[in-house]
Amino acid sequence: EVQLVESGGGLVQAGESLRLSCAASGFTVDDFAIGWFRQAPGKEREGVSCISGGDGSTVYADSVKERFAISSDSAKNTVYLQMNSLKPEDTAVYYCVAGGVCLYYSGRHYYPSGYWGQGTQVTVSS
């Protein structure tokens, strides 16, 4: 059974950092595209970042580029999202997702889809 369990969310002040973890079971992170989405109250869910299982290539939304970094640890079967210089507008529930593709092509971001975690809340105060 495929499972994704997020952790690491919390309440921080603007400018601080958090690291989210997505612990996977039922599959190997090296074999799947895995990404992070977020959803703020009253807004649509949006892709944040993803990493390909094959070559480890990464994709970032323009709003988080230069501040967030995604990485994968095959030994722990876990994907991380390091979030630096957090802003109040980063406040959202963050979801881990596995399956599909992770690609930036012709000016468009293509994020994974398929299996979803339960989400972890990130709140950034000003």
Side-chain angles (χ1 to χ4, degrees):
E1 179 187 5
V2 173
Q3 280 195 324
L4 300 168
V5 179
E6 302 99 330
S7 61
L11 171 63
V12 296
Q13 292 189 332
E16 294 184 340
S17 299
L18 277 175
R19 189 177 77 160
L20 304 183
S21 299
C22 174
S25 59
F27 70 98
T28 302
V29 297
D30 287 347
D31 294 335
F32 274 63
I34 298 179
W36 292 91
F37 281 72
R38 67 185 181 186
Q39 188 166 22
K43 295 189 177 181
E44 291 188 357
R45 189 171 293 185
E46 64 173 348
V48 175
S49 180
C50 59
I51 184 166
S52 294
D55 61 6
S57 58
T58 58
V59 170
Y60 295 94
D62 292 344
S63 58
V64 306
K65 204 176 295 185
E66 310 296 335
R67 300 189 297 121
F68 290 11
I70 191 169
S71 62
S72 177
D73 186 335
S74 56
K76 295 183 177 180
N77 216 35
T78 298
V79 170
Y80 302 99
L81 185 67
Q82 178 67 43
M83 306 187 295
N84 300 323
S85 302
L86 283 161
K87 304 176 180 180
E89 51 263 43
D90 294 318
T91 295
V93 177
Y94 284 70
Y95 299 89
C96 179
V97 59
V101 298
C102 171
L103 184 64
Y104 180 78
Y105 180 75
S106 259
R108 293 190 63 180
H109 299 81
Y110 295 88
Y111 292 102
S113 62
Y115 301 98
W116 290 79
Q118 83 288 351
T120 185
Q121 176 71 46
V122 172
T123 303
V124 185
S125 64
S126 58

